[in-house]
Amino acid sequence: MDKFISMKKLLLLWLTLTCSLLVFSQHVKPAEWTFAVGEDKVETAGEIELVFTTDIVEGGQIYSSDFGDCPPIKAKIEFAESEKWVAVDELKPIGAHKYTNDIFEYEVSAFKEKAELRQTIKVLEPSLTIEGKLTYQICTKEGYCVLFNFPFKAQFKEGVKIETELSN
């Protein structure tokens, strides 16, 4: 009889934990980014622009790259090292709006509906590979926030774009 009660308690505990995980798990899908290089040809000392865009689910938002050091995670690009090009200025958000976040009590910048980020690159050699990942935080209207990475790659051979890759 004691074994039956112990098994019953274990089953009840297992069901409780399973239901808790289902209720509190964050079902947030990553954004479906597109990645484009503004130019098909490059020259030494010239500049090219990397453009990242995505639609955002209704009621969701992606934090931008242009606010101070506070808790939400800003969008940022981490590049693989290269001596053939250099990033110019900072990652530029297009169409983000600033507001005071009630949870963090800081002024932040975020995108709603659509996000666009641009990064300018100065070309040092015409045969180059620009590779990296865009890191961003997406939050839902229910208050779930998840960090994602978006890897990308663009290649130029003798100044002509030969490949652009992305993975969602």
Side-chain angles (χ1 to χ4, degrees):
M1 186 74 164
D2 286 337
K3 262 187 169 178
F4 178 72
I5 292 173
S6 294
M7 291 297 285
K8 195 174 178 182
K9 285 182 181 178
L10 281 173
L11 180 61
L12 183 60
L13 177 63
W14 180 80
L15 283 171
T16 302
L17 289 173
T18 302
C19 288
S20 296
L21 284 173
L22 290 174
V23 168
F24 293 109
S25 66
Q26 296 187 15
H27 298 285
V28 180
K29 293 181 181 180
E32 295 182 14
W33 290 93
T34 60
F35 165 62
V37 177
E39 292 75 18
D40 290 331
K41 295 183 179 181
V42 297
E43 295 177 7
T44 301
E47 292 185 349
I48 58 176
E49 191 167 55
L50 309 180
V51 181
F52 303 86
T53 57
T54 188
D55 291 326
I56 301 170
V57 295
E58 186 178 335
Q61 68 179 16
I62 292 176
Y63 285 105
S64 181
S65 60
D66 63 338
F67 57 93
D69 294 327
C70 57
I73 297 171
K74 294 190 257 188
K76 68 178 181 177
I77 293 180
E78 295 175 36
F79 290 107
E81 289 186 34
S82 177
E83 294 179 2
K84 297 182 178 191
W85 56 268
V86 63
V88 178
D89 298 324
E90 295 182 12
L91 184 63
K92 291 179 234 154
I94 308 297
H97 70 282
K98 292 185 185 262
Y99 68 99
T100 301
N101 185 293
D102 295 336
I103 296 169
F104 299 117
E105 297 179 354
Y106 284 98
E107 183 178 77
V108 297
S109 180
F111 299 100
K112 294 185 183 246
E113 296 179 17
K114 184 177 178 104
E116 182 175 330
L117 296 160
R118 293 176 177 245
Q119 178 67 59
T120 303
I121 301 293
K122 182 174 183 174
V123 177
L124 304 177
E125 291 183 31
S127 292
L128 65 135
T129 300
I130 303 169
E131 190 171 7
K133 67 180 177 180
L134 170 65
T135 301
Y136 64 98
Q137 185 177 29
I138 189 166
C139 297
T140 66
K141 61 185 172 190
E142 294 82 20
Y144 298 122
C145 295
V146 180
L147 190 65
F148 290 104
N149 291 309
F150 171 72
F152 62 90
K153 180 178 179 180
Q155 289 184 295
F156 290 83
K157 184 174 183 178
E158 297 176 13
V160 179
K161 182 168 54 175
I162 59 170
E163 183 178 23
T164 303
E165 290 180 26
L166 54 90
S167 0
N168 262 335

